[in-house]
Amino acid sequence: MTTTNIEKTIEWIKIPKGGFSRMINQILIPYEYKKVDVSTTKDMYDAIKTMIVRGAPAIGIAGAHGVALAALEEKESQNFIENVVKKADYLNSSRPTAVNLHWAIQKQLEILKSNKDKTNAQIIDLLIENAIKLENEDIEINKKIGEFGSSIIPKGATILTHCNAGALATVGYGTALGVVRSAFEKDKTIKVFADETRPRQQGARLTTYELIRDGIDTTLITDGMSAYFMNKKMIDVVVVGADRIALNGDSANKIGTYAAAICAKYHNIPFYVAAPKSTIDSSIKTGDEIVIELRNREEITTINDRLICDNRVNIINPGFDVTPNSLITGIITEYGIFKPDEIHKLF
Ligand code: MRU
């Protein structure tokens, strides 16, 4: 099994009084590799919102850590449960699209509510324990996704990926890049084309950072180039991550994914989504119900803080799009690979 050279993206650091969350600051990569310690609910909200931590599974763990921090802050409070729930709602509002955030916070709230008879200190211990459990499970899940997914990668294939669904988007190993890593373990001749992923450049900054460190042959392209390379028969398969999957298999992922899926369909190239079960939102039937995050105009009007256009121009900046199930060949999960219209069977 290829183990990535990236350390845990986010981890709970235990100290006698409880602990705090330590995470790689992803805004700084590739210029600097630095970790940041987050020890308040407010700072966790900001870390998620400003994308110090990003990627659906990673922000899920950030949410779980955040609830543990909220509980530590409220330790002496008379209204312990109520106050922690309020802070959990606040954390949940930091980013709207990735369902893993909501899922992990819910897991923590279940523990909070089903242990009302215990002391605050005991509940805090349970929340910390659960956050660490979710953290460790995430890596195991990604390795299973990688193992299943490697079966669909032809020998010597070139894989296109969009955004960063790697170790940095999870606690470790990655989902789409977990598939790449597992395939690379078996076949050192595979190659990756990484979409740059405007406007935040997760593909350029993060995916190439990870893959180059693992010694995987990686070519960076801009988002609009993939159709050209598909037409030239230089891409064999597309594998992307997801932020939220509806019960019919419609999948939200970073803006630009939908365009890549349309191009893949046109060129008869298989298009796979790699994601854990926690990314499937069993409360929604189709992708129409997925809330798409709208982000600020500066992400588009500037590069490295310099304006690249007339600032009077209109901007709309959706962070994600939804790829309809009809464009998806299969969804790779820790339970196996499913046709999009079969994914509901997991519930
Ligand atoms: O805005 P981001 O960087 O959080 O968006 C991340 C993505 O779209 C990823 O592809 C997705 O979360 C899957 S990560 C395993």
Side-chain angles (χ1 to χ4, degrees):
M1 186 93 52
T2 303
T3 47
T4 169
N5 290 320
I6 307 289
E7 296 171 89
K8 267 186 166 181
T9 296
I10 176 165
E11 68 184 313
W12 185 267
I13 305 294
K14 270 189 173 176
I15 53 171
K17 281 182 193 158
F20 55 88
S21 180
R22 177 167 286 168
M23 59 185 76
I24 297 171
N25 185 341
Q26 299 192 45
I27 297 174
L28 301 178
I29 293 176
Y31 312 110
E32 274 179 79
Y33 181 87
K34 256 194 188 167
K35 292 201 173 183
V36 53
D37 292 343
V38 174
S39 47
T40 67
T41 317
K42 167 81 177 73
D43 286 351
M44 185 59 87
Y45 175 95
D46 290 342
I48 300 170
K49 181 122 192 129
T50 61
M51 294 170 67
I52 286 173
V53 58
R54 38 67 51 199
I59 65 173
I61 301 304
H65 286 186
V67 177
L69 292 174
L72 282 166
E73 285 163 0
E74 295 299 326
K75 189 173 179 180
E76 308 300 336
S77 148
Q78 296 295 320
N79 303 321
F80 177 72
I81 304 270
E82 253 172 58
N83 291 352
V84 177
V85 170
K86 265 191 210 146
K87 288 188 170 177
D89 288 346
Y90 166 67
L91 286 164
N92 203 15
S93 67
S94 54
R95 291 193 77 189
T97 303
V99 74
N100 308 61
L101 176 64
H102 176 73
W103 173 87
I105 288 174
Q106 265 318 108
K107 290 265 170 227
Q108 291 289 59
L109 291 183
E110 279 162 24
I111 287 182
L112 185 75
K113 289 173 184 170
S114 59
N115 288 287
K116 281 184 179 158
D117 54 319
K118 300 208 166 63
T119 65
N120 295 357
Q122 285 170 327
I123 298 177
I124 290 169
D125 284 345
L126 290 174
L127 291 172
I128 292 174
E129 238 173 67
N130 191 46
I132 294 171
K133 180 171 154 273
L134 293 176
E135 216 179 278
N136 293 330
E137 280 173 1
D138 181 71
I139 298 179
E140 292 316 307
I141 287 169
N142 294 335
K143 289 190 171 165
K144 285 183 189 154
I145 291 173
E147 186 58 32
F148 281 120
S150 63
S151 68
I152 57 93
I153 305 295
K155 186 153 176 45
T158 297
I159 305 157
L160 175 75
T161 192
H162 189 75
C163 194
N164 171 265
L168 288 164
T170 59
V171 179
Y173 204 66
T175 56
L177 296 193
V179 172
V180 167
R181 288 194 163 98
S182 184
F184 180 70
E185 180 63 24
K186 294 167 185 159
D187 171 14
K188 298 282 183 269
T189 68
I190 63 152
K191 296 183 174 64
V192 173
F193 272 39
D195 277 347
E196 172 195 25
T197 318
R198 271 287 282 158
R200 295 284 297 224
Q201 290 150 329
Q202 291 94 328
R205 294 189 303 106
L206 309 176
T207 295
T208 68
Y209 182 90
E210 284 192 28
L211 295 180
I212 299 284
R213 267 161 191 74
D214 279 2
I216 299 173
D217 185 325
T218 306
T219 302
L220 175 64
I221 62 172
T222 64
D223 298 349
M225 290 179 186
S226 57
Y228 172 83
F229 289 114
M230 287 182 190
N231 180 258
K232 295 275 174 215
K233 302 205 182 311
M234 289 170 71
I235 291 166
D236 301 295
V237 53
V238 184
V239 186
V240 297
D243 288 83
R244 190 183 294 235
I245 301 175
L247 272 187
N248 71 344
D250 291 349
S251 299
N253 191 47
K254 181 55 53 194
I255 191 79
T257 304
Y258 178 31
I262 292 171
C263 291
K265 184 81 171 179
Y266 182 80
H267 293 95
N268 276 320
I269 294 169
F271 182 96
Y272 286 91
V273 172
K277 187 180 172 192
S278 55
T279 301
I280 304 165
D281 184 348
S282 61
S283 75
I284 59 167
K285 289 200 177 86
T286 77
D288 291 343
E289 293 170 74
I290 298 175
V291 178
I292 299 293
E293 177 179 19
L294 283 177
R295 298 189 57 87
N296 66 45
R297 60 180 281 121
E298 288 73 25
E299 286 186 348
I300 294 186
T301 58
T302 63
I303 290 183
N304 289 339
D305 295 328
R306 288 194 72 176
L307 260 183
I308 56 159
C309 57
D310 187 317
N311 209 12
R312 291 167 298 185
V313 73
N314 297 327
I315 295 291
I316 311 175
N317 184 11
F320 302 90
D321 55 29
V322 176
T323 298
N325 56 10
S326 57
L327 300 180
I328 299 170
T329 311
I331 300 178
I332 307 163
T333 74
E334 68 272 36
Y335 297 100
I337 304 176
F338 294 81
K339 294 263 171 242
D341 60 0
E342 285 178 341
I343 201 75
H344 63 92
K345 290 183 182 161
L346 279 176
F347 294 90

